[in-house]
Amino acid sequence: MIGRIRGILIEKQPPDIVIEAGGVGYEVQLPMTSFYQLPEAGQEATVYIHFVVREDAQLLFGFADKSERALFRELIKVNGVGPKLGLTILSGMSAAQFIQCVSADDYMALVKLPGVGKKTAERLVIEMRDRLKKLSEQNDGTTAIHQADLAKHESTFVVPNDVKGDAVSALEALGYKPAQAAKAVNSVYVEGASSEDLIRDALRSMV
């Protein structure tokens, strides 16, 4: 079982990274909330891992801290929610926003996320209510990711050549339809923005 990887960031292509540790490059998928907190490529980073073994693949899902990983692990216990949808949920809204949706029984906010139908959203609200209470008792409050924490990492992303294309590709990887992703990115595009900026702003515009 792989629980944590500390190494050098070799590649950053949201929502995927390659992190090298002990001479091995590990491909890891992260929710955007964790991706925003990564340093620049070439620097050392630590990601907490949820390891999934399937018949056809071994997949690594990474998180900035243990509390977000714990929330992800509770999410994928809900019927109809797999790891890919769990990443989409934690990319489309912060942990704090998700907790607020559950507390307020606001399943309609969850339905806006790709892959989350009305029935799945209702199950998430019902099943996660008690689980979130247990999580809050187990951690020190770091589950909620504040916008101020994200903002200080905004300038650390290495800007690729085609920022709009990369942003659209990242949203498609998270489950958004190509037309929806392109529309969201175009609506928030400003000259000089990095692909990470566009992904963050596009996700906010769709919540």
Side-chain angles (χ1 to χ4, degrees):
M1 176 68 74
I2 300 174
R4 188 185 75 163
I5 298 176
R6 184 177 67 184
I8 303 299
L9 277 175
I10 303 302
E11 297 178 17
K12 291 177 66 178
Q13 181 61 48
D16 303 314
I17 66 169
V18 175
I19 182 169
E20 183 176 306
V24 178
Y26 296 92
E27 295 182 350
V28 186
Q29 298 180 57
L30 286 79
M32 292 309 301
T33 45
S34 288
F35 197 97
Y36 298 145
Q37 300 183 63
L38 293 172
E40 294 181 11
Q43 295 187 8
E44 185 178 85
T46 299
V47 288
Y48 292 90
I49 299 296
H50 177 76
F51 185 35
V52 174
V53 178
R54 301 190 324 208
E55 291 184 1
D56 60 341
Q58 297 184 27
L59 305 174
L60 300 177
F61 298 93
F63 305 89
D65 54 55
K66 292 181 179 179
S67 57
E68 189 172 38
R69 182 181 64 181
L71 177 56
F72 174 82
R73 286 174 170 173
E74 295 301 326
L75 277 172
I76 61 176
K77 291 178 183 178
V78 176
N79 185 31
V81 179
K84 181 176 177 61
L85 185 53
L87 285 189
T88 298
I89 292 170
L90 292 180
S91 294
M93 58 177 58
S94 69
Q97 289 172 322
F98 177 78
I99 292 169
Q100 184 177 1
C101 286
V102 173
S103 300
D105 292 336
D106 184 10
Y107 68 86
M108 291 306 297
L110 297 171
V111 172
K112 295 178 182 179
L113 300 172
V116 180
K118 182 178 179 181
K119 291 183 178 179
T120 299
E122 291 174 342
R123 281 197 298 269
L124 280 165
V125 169
I126 293 171
E127 295 186 30
M128 289 300 294
R129 191 177 293 117
D130 290 337
R131 293 175 184 174
L132 288 175
K133 290 179 181 178
K134 293 179 181 178
L135 283 179
S136 65
E137 294 171 356
Q138 295 171 359
N139 63 47
D140 58 1
T142 55
T143 299
I145 301 175
H146 300 290
Q147 296 301 326
D149 294 328
L150 300 179
K152 64 185 179 182
H153 297 279
E154 289 178 1
S155 62
T156 63
F157 189 65
V158 177
V159 182
N161 292 329
D162 184 5
V163 293
K164 290 177 70 174
D166 286 342
V168 171
S169 296
L171 293 177
E172 290 178 11
L174 292 170
Y176 290 89
K177 295 179 180 179
Q180 183 184 18
K183 181 179 179 180
V185 170
N186 285 328
S187 70
V188 300
Y189 178 76
V190 292
E191 187 175 352
S194 70
S195 59
E196 186 179 4
D197 291 332
L198 296 180
I199 296 165
R200 184 189 62 251
D201 293 341
L203 286 169
R204 287 176 180 171
S205 73
M206 291 186 286
V207 174

